[in-house]
């Protein structure tokens, strides 16, 4: 453990600078106090604040340079304000949920308070420069959720420093000079995400500066129940670097000690930036004057002695004492600063509330005026005027009250027709579009670089095109991609030296080097985190989860961070990482590779590609790398050694997302499937043809997006019957596909028989070929399901055989 030593020349301390710092910590504290009052008074639903952490964040801000990154959580208001990335009016606008980027440019009201964003994308969704701004990756509330991506943000600096081919990308890096500041509460260091990240950072030797705010509790649970030895710096001591071995640097410092905080952050920043050594700063004796959040009081679990100690050792109070003791200001001067801070924050809060409420009240006035007008012409006048009265009596204005009133008014007017009713219908249609933009837009990219705008290009063959193993197609395609774009990198378990377990990257590390094709440890969560960080910083990572079932290890990071990033910033940030994995038909409980419902329902915001062969997979990689959305691609495990023709236009042919492909035309019934099931279904279709049944087989190719052109509907209009087949459990992928076709495409109108789903058994597949046969759909299952449906309408022609 490194103990801090006071230095004499580490930073220049001036009277004005010190008083500016004091003003900032006072403003931040008042914002926390008023924020809690607004929650308790009903103006906001919930609040969580950074009181007690102000002084440490002031010190951090002094070493934070333009181009650096912060990957933090919901208590970092002081540093964001110190870097001029947050006004206090924006702070309160976010607390109220003001769904307008002009007032909450961080999340447009989509995240609760203390979630901050640097808008990396312009109004068209295209990259802006990251090297002339202080960069904040949108904060996360799930404990430690912000940590995995921090290793990727820092790892990007390593690549930008060591790969000369990237030095021209000056909008994203100045040759890797940037460091990443991560912040976390002490109790959250108990999460595996934190330990995995610190280990990975130590292995990779990346410029990650991790600050741990230690207030002694995780909500109500004290640190001795959270951390070995009751100290995260002691628990991590085994990772401490030494002269003859790499590791991390560890500092400890008190949250109330202004001079030591400045010194510690200066030393840590220098080591981190200059040497690319990860650093942990354990900030101890942090107080939480208002407790964990607005949902309760810390008096329920803190002793009277602890509460008294927190008052005496509050960082703002100790800072004031230090200023007075050292003669930088008088008590009257400091009290004047405190009073000015109170007035200023109250004005900022009032301005935020006025802007928030007036926007809704203007909309409310429009809606209620239309309802009142309709009431004068309706026999339901009393009911309509009661709706008006109910909205006007609400204390806190909300858009929902306005929309609810109009919808109920139209319900009352359903038997009447009048211009006033039409005006209400028009208002509702207009506001439905407005509220979609406020609350539901930007799940996926809306930029010119959206992968949905990539035009399809068919693979090209000539008479000399050889038949090769499928793995050779995807490998040759990767070779072409890596040769043409230095931004593309690949990393994952066994990806490098052996070229992945199925040889899709065989020989590429020798050709392009370890910086481009990189082996990692067995750490799925931080593999995804590395990908997120690299993608945010302008690179094009392909990160590998070795088998589809292992996605569960990283599911929290995938769903909480990656899938929602573009949405929760309303188009302010994106991370177009590609997750490469493989699944389907591998035998066994943990390598069966078909938890599709888990993915498609957890990862809205990602594209999910399910190619049936490796040529399709290669075309999807080409499409995705031309786009700017994140995606997961599940390669078919049993396709690597099946023969496919080698395309001539490697790296160029593109499979469009959201478009199906008809593999076999037919007239009697449509089967909708994907991935390795395509071969099972095609074999069954051939056997059915021998029984006189004509089946149309459709490969959906991507589950997210799903059949954008409604080609499945066109098929059902012809066949009037449909079966959905896959290897997921009952109600999973097949249930999703059925919902899409029946609900979205309204295909039920053309069905002469009930739609059917053929899926796996409701358990993980048993091992061995027999386990595969009896656990997952097989050719006979498909044959019999189709035969039964056809038999319903023509039992004499197709009699039951059981």
């Amino acid at each position: 453990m490194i103990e801090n030593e006071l230095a004499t020349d580490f930073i220049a301390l001036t009277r004005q600078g010190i008083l500016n710092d004091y003003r900032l910590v006072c403003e931040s504290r008042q914002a926390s106090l008023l924020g809690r009052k607004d929650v308790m008074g009903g103006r906001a639903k919930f609040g969580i604040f950074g009181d007690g952490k102000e002084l440490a964040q002031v010190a951090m801000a002094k070493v934070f340079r333009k181009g650096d990154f912060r990957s933090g959580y919901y208590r970092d208001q002081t540093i964001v304000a110190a870097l001029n990335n947050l006004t206090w009016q924006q702070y309160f606008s976010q607390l109220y949920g003001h769904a307008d980027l002009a007032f909450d440019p961080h999340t447009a009201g989509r995240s609760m308070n203390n979630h901050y964003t640097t808008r990396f994308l312009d109004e068209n969704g295209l990259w802006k420069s990251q090297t002339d701004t202080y960069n904040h990756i949108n904060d996360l509330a799930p404990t430690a959720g912000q940590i995995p991506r921090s290793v990727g943000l820092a790892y990007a600096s390593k690549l930008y420093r060591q790969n000369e081919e990237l030095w021209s990308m000056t909008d994203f890096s100045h040759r890797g000079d940037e460091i990443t500041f991560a912040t976390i509460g002490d109790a959250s260091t108990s999460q595996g995400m934190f330990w995995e990240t610190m280990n990975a950072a130590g292995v990779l030797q990346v410029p990650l500066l991790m600050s741990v705010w230690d207030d002694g509790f995780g909500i109500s649970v004290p640190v001795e129940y959270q951390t070995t030895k009751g100290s995260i710096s002691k628990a991590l001591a085994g990772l401490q670097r030494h002269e003859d071995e790499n590791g991390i640097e560890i500092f400890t410092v008190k949250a109330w000690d202004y001079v030591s905080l400045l010194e510690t952050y200066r030393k840590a920043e220098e080591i981190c930036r200059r040497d690319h050594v990860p650093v942990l700063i354990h900030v101890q004796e942090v107080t939480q004057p208002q407790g964990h959040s607005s949902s309760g009081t810390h008096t329920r679990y803190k002793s009277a002695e602890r509460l008294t100690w927190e008052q005496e050792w509050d960082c703002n109070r100790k800072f004031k004492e230090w200023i007075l003791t050292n003669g930088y200001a008088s008590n009257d001067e400091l009290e004047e600063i405190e009073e000015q801070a109170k007035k200023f924050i109250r004005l900022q809060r009032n301005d935020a509330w006025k802007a928030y409420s007036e926007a809704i009240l203007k909309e409310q006035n429009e809606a209620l005026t239309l309802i009142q007008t309709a009431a004068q012409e309706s026999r339901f006048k009393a009911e309509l005027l009661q709706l008006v009265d109910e909205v006007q009596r609400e204390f806190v204005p909300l858009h929902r009250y306005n929309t609810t009133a109009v919808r109920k008014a139209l319900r009352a007017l359903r038997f009447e027709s009048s211009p006033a009713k039409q005006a209400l219908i028009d208002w509702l249609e207009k506001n439905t579009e407005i509220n979609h933009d406020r609350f539901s837009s930007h799940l996926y990219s809306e930029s010119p670089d959206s992968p949905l705008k990539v035009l399809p290009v068919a693979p090209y063959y000539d008479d000399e095109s050889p038949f090769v193993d499928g793995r050779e197609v995807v490998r040759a395609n990767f070779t072409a991609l890596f040769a043409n774009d230095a931004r593309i990198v690949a990393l994952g378990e066994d990806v490098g030296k052996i070229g992945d377990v199925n040889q899709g990257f065989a020989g590429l590390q020798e050709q392009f080097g370890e910086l481009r094709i990189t082996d990692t440890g067995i750490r799925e969560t931080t593999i995804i985190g590395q990908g997120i960080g690299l993608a945010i910083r302008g690179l094009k990572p392909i990160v590998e989860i070795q088998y589809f079932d292992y996605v569960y290890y990283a599911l929290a990071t995938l769903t909480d961070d990656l899938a929602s990033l573009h949405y929760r910033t309303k188009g302010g940030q994106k991370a177009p990482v590609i997750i490469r994995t493989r699944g389907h038909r591998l035998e066994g409980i943990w390598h069966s590779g078909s938890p599709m419902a888990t993915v498609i329902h957890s990862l809205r915001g990602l594209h999910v590609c399910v190619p049936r062969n490796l040529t399709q997979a290669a075309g999807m990689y080409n499409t995705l790398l031309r786009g700017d959305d994140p995606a997961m691609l599940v390669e078919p495990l049993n396709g690597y050694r099946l023969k496919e023709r080698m395309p001539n236009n490697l790296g160029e042919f593109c499979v469009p997302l959201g478009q199906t492909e008809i593999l076999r035309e037919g007239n009697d019934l449509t089967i909708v499937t994907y991935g390795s099931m395509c071969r099972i279904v095609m074999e069954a279709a051939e056997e059915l043809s021998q029984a006189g049944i004509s089946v149309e087989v459709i490969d959906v190719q991507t589950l997210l997006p799903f059949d954008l052109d409604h080609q499945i509907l066109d098929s059902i209009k012809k066949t009037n019957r449909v079966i959905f087949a896959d290897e997921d459990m009952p109600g999973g992928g097949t249930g999703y596909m059925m919902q899409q076709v029946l609900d979205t495409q309204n295909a039920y109108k053309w069905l002469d028989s009930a739609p059917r789903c053929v899926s796996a058994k409701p358990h993980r597949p048993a091992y061995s070929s027999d386990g595969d046969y009896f656990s997952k759909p097989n050719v006979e299952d498909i044959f019999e399901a189709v035969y039964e449906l056809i038999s319903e309408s023509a039992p004499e022609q197709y009699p039951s055989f059981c």
Side-chain angles (χ1 to χ4, degrees):
M1 188 70 60
I2 291 182
E3 298 295 337
N4 302 317
E5 297 178 0
L6 285 178
T8 57
D9 58 349
F10 63 93
I11 194 167
L13 292 177
T14 66
R15 166 183 154 81
Q16 190 57 54
I18 292 166
L19 296 185
N20 287 342
D21 289 346
Y22 189 66
R23 184 181 304 277
L24 176 60
V25 301
C26 289
E27 289 177 355
S28 184
R29 179 63 58 86
Q30 287 302 311
S32 294
L33 296 173
L34 268 187
R36 182 180 176 89
K37 286 182 179 179
D38 273 350
V39 175
M40 306 315 290
R43 282 187 170 184
K45 294 194 71 172
F46 179 77
I48 196 159
F49 309 104
D51 46 313
K53 298 161 182 67
E54 295 92 347
L55 206 57
Q57 292 185 23
V58 164
M60 184 195 300
K62 291 186 183 299
V63 297
F64 201 115
R65 297 183 189 175
K66 287 185 176 180
D68 287 346
F69 291 81
R70 183 188 62 87
S71 183
Y73 78 140
Y74 42 69
R75 299 193 191 276
D76 286 355
Q77 68 203 46
T78 308
I79 183 174
V80 184
L83 297 172
N84 295 317
N85 296 126
L86 172 70
T87 70
W88 297 117
Q89 183 175 345
Q90 292 170 356
Y91 172 90
F92 286 100
S93 294
Q94 189 177 73
L95 182 69
Y96 304 142
H98 197 161
D100 188 334
L101 283 172
F103 296 94
D104 174 16
H106 302 278
T107 70
R110 294 183 177 186
S111 288
M112 69 180 189
N113 74 308
N114 262 325
H115 287 68
Y116 303 118
T117 303
T118 301
R119 302 196 71 77
F120 295 145
L121 309 179
D122 64 19
E123 62 276 7
N124 296 315
L126 302 176
W127 290 113
K128 298 191 293 186
S129 174
Q130 298 176 359
T131 50
D132 56 4
T133 55
Y134 302 111
N135 300 308
H136 306 275
I137 310 305
N138 184 253
D139 301 310
L140 290 179
T143 52
Q146 74 279 13
I147 298 303
R149 69 188 182 203
S150 68
V151 73
L153 293 166
Y155 181 64
S157 290
K158 179 176 181 176
L159 296 188
Y160 278 119
R161 176 174 287 188
Q162 297 186 15
N163 185 354
E164 294 183 12
E165 292 185 86
L166 301 177
W167 286 1
S168 63
M169 295 179 62
T170 54
D171 281 346
F172 293 96
S173 178
H174 290 311
R175 299 190 181 185
D177 192 45
E178 305 78 23
I179 68 176
T180 297
F181 294 82
T183 64
I184 188 171
D186 181 70
S188 294
T189 64
S190 299
Q191 291 278 12
M193 293 177 180
F194 173 82
W195 288 85
E196 194 173 304
T197 294
M198 296 311 298
N199 179 61
V203 170
L204 294 169
Q205 290 295 284
V206 293
L208 173 63
L209 200 163
M210 180 76 64
S211 295
V212 179
W213 316 133
D214 185 357
D215 59 25
F217 291 85
I219 305 184
S220 67
V221 180
V223 67
E224 55 264 29
Y225 287 90
Q226 302 276 0
T227 309
T228 300
K229 302 182 179 181
S231 167
I232 191 61
S233 52
K234 291 180 179 178
L236 286 174
L239 300 183
Q240 170 70 51
R241 68 169 181 157
H242 298 288
E243 185 176 338
D244 58 344
E245 60 184 4
N246 289 331
I248 69 173
E249 196 62 87
I250 300 174
F251 292 88
T252 62
V253 66
K254 309 300 184 186
W256 46 264
D257 190 337
Y258 179 62
V259 173
S260 290
L261 284 165
L262 294 174
E263 175 199 30
T264 300
Y265 273 97
R266 180 64 71 192
K267 285 182 177 179
E269 178 262 350
E270 183 179 6
I271 293 169
C272 200
R273 194 181 306 277
R274 181 193 62 210
D275 302 331
H276 274 201
V277 170
V279 180
L280 178 122
I281 299 180
H282 183 188
V283 183
Q284 301 170 322
E285 297 186 10
V286 178
T287 64
Q288 247 177 212
Q290 299 184 109
H292 174 75
S293 70
S294 63
S295 61
T297 171
H298 56 165
T299 59
R300 292 182 298 166
Y301 54 87
K302 290 180 181 176
S303 66
E305 293 77 13
R306 172 71 188 193
L307 292 170
T308 299
W309 179 88
E310 289 200 6
Q311 289 181 351
E312 293 176 355
W313 292 90
D314 178 272
C315 64
N316 287 14
R317 178 174 178 173
K318 298 300 288 184
F319 188 24
K320 182 178 182 179
E321 292 175 1
W322 180 86
I323 293 172
L324 294 172
T325 299
N326 288 276
Y328 286 108
S330 67
N331 189 63
D332 288 344
E333 288 176 306
L334 297 184
E335 288 186 352
E336 175 63 20
I337 290 175
E338 294 164 13
E339 189 60 31
Q340 289 175 354
K342 289 180 182 179
K343 291 179 180 178
F344 177 63
I345 295 301
R346 189 168 294 277
L347 285 173
Q348 294 282 290
R349 173 252 210 168
N350 291 345
D351 287 345
W353 178 254
K354 181 180 179 182
Y356 167 77
S357 57
E358 284 184 351
I360 299 178
L361 290 173
K362 179 182 178 182
E363 177 187 285
Q364 181 188 109
N365 183 60
E366 294 174 356
L368 298 188
T369 298
L370 292 174
I371 295 173
Q372 289 170 329
T373 300
Q376 302 308 314
E377 305 173 8
S378 174
R379 67 180 187 272
F380 300 105
K381 179 177 181 179
E383 182 178 340
L384 293 172
L385 293 179
Q386 183 179 350
L387 289 173
V388 173
D389 181 63
E390 288 174 355
V391 174
Q392 290 176 332
R393 284 191 283 109
E394 292 291 348
F395 170 68
V396 177
L398 296 172
H399 292 292
R400 59 173 288 193
Y401 297 146
N402 306 331
T403 299
T404 296
V406 171
R407 294 172 75 175
K408 287 185 175 180
L410 289 171
R411 188 188 308 169
L413 294 167
R414 65 188 182 276
F415 296 113
E416 300 179 1
S417 179
S418 68
K421 177 182 176 182
Q422 186 59 49
L424 283 168
I425 293 172
D426 294 342
W427 184 94
L428 184 60
E429 289 178 353
K430 179 189 73 173
N431 270 61
T432 297
E433 293 181 6
I434 292 172
N435 284 319
H436 173 83
D437 177 70
R438 285 177 180 142
F439 303 110
S440 300
S441 65
H442 294 86
L443 180 60
Y444 294 95
S445 171
E446 300 178 13
S447 80
D449 291 335
S450 166
L452 298 182
K453 298 178 182 178
V454 175
L455 297 177
V457 177
Y460 166 70
Y461 306 96
D462 60 27
D463 294 340
E464 304 299 320
S465 299
F467 281 90
V468 298
D469 289 348
R471 61 188 173 87
E472 295 185 46
V473 174
V474 75
R475 181 180 63 192
N477 194 72
F478 280 142
T479 301
L481 290 171
F482 276 77
N484 290 327
D485 193 339
R487 295 173 298 173
I488 301 175
V489 296
L491 57 95
E493 301 161 19
D494 299 303
V495 164
K497 187 169 185 178
I498 69 169
D500 87 45
V501 291
N502 293 101
Q503 300 293 281
F505 282 110
L508 268 68
Q509 188 179 76
E510 292 92 333
Q511 184 173 352
F512 298 105
E514 289 190 31
L515 287 177
R516 301 284 303 282
I517 315 290
T518 307
D519 280 319
T520 71
I522 302 175
R523 49 175 181 82
E524 284 77 11
T525 295
T526 48
I527 289 173
I528 298 299
Q530 272 183 267
I532 294 171
L534 291 173
I536 286 173
R537 296 195 59 186
L539 300 176
K540 290 183 172 291
I542 301 170
V543 300
E544 181 163 312
I545 300 296
Q546 196 166 86
Y547 296 110
F548 191 24
D549 301 73
Y550 297 170
V551 166
Y552 287 112
Y553 283 97
L555 189 59
T557 298
L558 286 166
T559 185
D560 293 337
D561 196 0
L562 179 59
S564 66
L565 179 63
H566 193 258
Y567 166 78
R568 69 180 191 267
T569 60
K570 198 180 181 184
Q573 295 185 343
K574 60 184 176 183
V577 57
I578 298 174
I579 298 100
R580 180 192 184 216
T581 187
R582 50 189 64 82
H584 308 308
R585 309 314 292 199
L586 184 67
E587 297 166 355
I589 290 174
W590 293 289
H591 296 79
S592 57
S594 300
M596 205 54 77
T598 300
V599 170
I600 57 181
H601 296 307
S602 299
L603 302 185
R604 301 298 171 98
L606 266 69
H607 297 301
V608 177
C609 303
V610 282
R612 66 183 181 272
N613 59 39
L614 277 303
T615 301
Q616 294 295 98
M620 291 174 182
Y621 286 121
N622 296 340
T623 298
L624 294 170
L625 286 166
R626 284 165 171 76
D628 63 351
D629 269 328
M632 178 178 291
L633 196 150
V634 185
E635 296 176 6
L637 252 171
N638 57 2
Y640 292 109
R641 296 188 181 279
L642 298 180
K643 299 300 182 182
E644 301 180 34
R645 290 187 77 187
M646 179 71 77
N648 287 21
N649 52 343
L650 292 165
E652 298 175 3
F653 65 95
C654 295
V655 174
L657 306 186
Q659 293 187 23
T660 67
E661 183 176 349
I662 297 176
L663 303 184
R664 181 186 181 109
E665 293 190 354
N667 299 307
D668 297 328
L669 184 142
T670 300
I671 301 181
V672 181
T673 190
Y674 59 84
S676 294
M677 274 296 293
C678 288
R679 285 192 293 276
I680 302 293
V681 171
M682 288 292 282
E683 186 176 340
E686 178 59 31
E687 294 185 8
L688 284 161
S689 71
Q690 298 171 17
I693 298 172
S694 173
V695 171
E696 185 145 294
V697 180
I698 296 180
D699 176 10
V700 303
Q701 300 195 101
T702 63
L703 289 166
L704 295 175
F706 183 86
D707 189 14
L708 296 176
D709 298 330
H710 293 189
Q711 294 167 313
I712 296 170
L713 174 62
D714 292 337
S715 177
I716 291 173
K717 286 180 179 179
K718 176 175 62 172
T719 66
N720 307 118
R721 294 177 180 85
V722 64
I723 285 176
F724 302 94
D726 81 346
E727 302 179 22
D728 202 1
M729 293 185 186
T734 54
Y736 162 76
M737 292 190 293
M738 180 185 287
Q739 178 271 327
Q740 289 286 300
V741 173
L742 297 188
D743 286 1
T744 303
Q745 301 184 17
N746 293 319
Y748 66 90
K749 298 178 182 179
W750 286 273
L751 289 176
D752 291 338
S753 301
R756 288 277 304 271
C757 290
V758 178
S759 54
K761 297 295 190 295
H763 55 73
R764 288 176 176 264
Y767 179 64
S768 81
S769 295
D770 275 344
D772 174 77
Y773 180 88
F774 290 104
S775 298
K776 289 188 172 185
N778 52 59
V779 172
E780 287 70 39
D781 291 335
I782 300 297
F783 185 103
E784 291 165 10
V786 172
Y787 191 92
E788 287 174 11
L789 278 182
I790 300 299
S791 177
E792 288 179 2
S793 60
E796 294 183 359
Q797 185 177 358
Y798 301 101
S800 172
F801 45 79
C802 292

